[in-house]
C-alpha cells in the first residue's frame, strides 16, 4: 500500500466528529460471506505426549472438543465482546485443530449470508479456542504461548482477502 492510498483510508468505526460509531451497513448488499482465522498455541513436549486418539485428555475432559465448543460460543458472542461489531446470526462455525510439532494449529471458519462480514467472529472463535486449550493444559505447565492469531481469508464483501 502506498502512502497516498494509506492517507485516503479512514477508520471505519469513527464518525465525522471522530466519535466511535457502528458502521452503517444498511446500503450494503446481502451476500454469502466467509472468513477463516488461525490461532497457534505452543505446548510443551510433556503436554504433546498426552495426545492420544486425536485429542488430549485431561481431568477437565477432551481438550480439542472443549475448545471447539468454547470457540463456537465465542464466535456467536463476538458482538457482546467487541463493542462496535454487528450482532450476527452465523450460518456456520467450523473448526479444524491439528498438532504440528509442539504447536496446536486452530482454524476457525465462519459463514453467513448478510450485509457485513464475519472476520471478527472467525478471529474471536480461533482466539477463544486457543485460550481454552491454554486453560485446560495449564495444570501440566504454564510454559504455553499463544503465538499468533491472524485472518487467513475472507470472501463475499467489497473485497476478498487471502493471507
Amino acid at each position: 500500500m502506498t502512502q497516498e492510498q494509506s492517507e485516503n483510508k479512514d477508520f471505519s468505526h469513527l464518525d465525522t466528529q471522530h466519535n466511535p460509531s457502528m458502521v452503517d451497513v444498511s446500503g450494503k448488499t446481502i451476500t454469502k460471506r466467509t472468513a477463516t482465522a488461525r490461532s497457534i498455541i505452543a505446548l510443551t513436549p510433556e503436554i504433546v505426549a498426552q495426545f492420544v486418539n486425536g485429542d488430549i485428555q485431561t481431568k477437565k475432559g477432551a481438550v480439542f472438543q472443549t475448545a471447539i465448543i468454547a470457540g463456537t460460543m465465542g464466535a456467536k458472542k463476538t458482538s457482546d465482546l467487541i463493542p462496535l461489531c454487528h450482532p450476527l446470526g452465523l450460518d456456520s462455525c467450523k473448526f479444524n485443530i491439528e498438532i504440528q510439532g509442539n504447536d496446536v494449529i486452530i482454524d476457525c471458519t465462519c459463514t453467513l449470508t448478510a450485509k457485513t462480514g464475519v472476520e471478527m467472529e472467525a478471529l474471536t472463535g480461533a482466539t477463544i479456542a486457543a485460550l481454552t486449550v491454554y486453560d485446560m493444559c495449564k495444570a501440566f505447565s504454564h510454559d504455553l504461548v499463544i503465538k499468533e492469531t491472524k485472518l487467513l481469508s475472507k470472501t463475499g464483501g467489497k473485497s476478498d482477502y487471502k493471507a
Side-chain angles (χ1 to χ4, degrees):
M1 178 181 300
T2 67
Q3 185 175 357
E4 184 178 322
Q5 288 171 318
S6 172
E7 290 172 2
N8 290 333
K9 289 192 174 264
D10 291 319
F11 286 102
S12 59
H13 288 85
L14 295 177
D15 65 16
T16 55
Q17 288 78 41
H18 301 289
N19 292 313
S21 177
M22 183 182 262
V23 174
D24 182 357
V25 297
S26 61
K28 289 187 172 187
T29 303
I30 295 173
T31 59
K32 180 178 180 183
R33 296 161 185 261
T34 64
T36 300
R38 172 175 287 169
S39 284
I40 299 174
I41 180 168
L43 306 180
T44 64
E46 174 190 28
I47 297 169
V48 173
Q50 304 297 314
F51 186 74
V52 177
N53 295 326
D55 210 333
I56 297 172
Q57 301 298 323
T58 69
K59 292 177 185 177
K60 293 181 178 182
V63 173
F64 296 166
Q65 295 300 308
T66 304
I68 289 169
I69 293 167
T72 302
M73 292 171 65
K76 290 167 40 175
K77 293 284 194 178
T78 299
S79 67
D80 291 338
L81 301 169
I82 312 292
L84 300 175
C85 284
H86 292 86
L88 301 176
L90 297 177
D91 294 334
S92 176
C93 183
K94 297 195 181 298
F95 286 82
N96 183 60
I97 301 178
E98 61 185 60
I99 292 182
Q100 292 179 6
N102 288 339
D103 290 343
V104 176
I105 312 297
I106 302 168
D107 289 347
C108 174
T109 300
C110 294
T111 306
L112 83 159
T113 303
K115 293 181 174 191
T116 190
V118 289
E119 300 98 297
M120 294 309 299
E121 287 71 16
L123 287 160
T124 301
T127 301
I128 296 297
L131 287 167
T132 301
V133 171
Y134 186 103
D135 180 53
M136 294 187 74
C137 293
K138 70 183 183 219
F140 287 98
S141 173
H142 286 307
D143 293 329
L144 308 168
V145 177
I146 298 175
K147 297 182 351 181
E148 70 178 14
T149 298
K150 66 180 179 181
L151 183 67
L152 296 178
S153 65
K154 76 174 197 83
T155 64
K158 182 172 44 174
S159 61
D160 291 347
Y161 171 81
K162 183 130 176 102

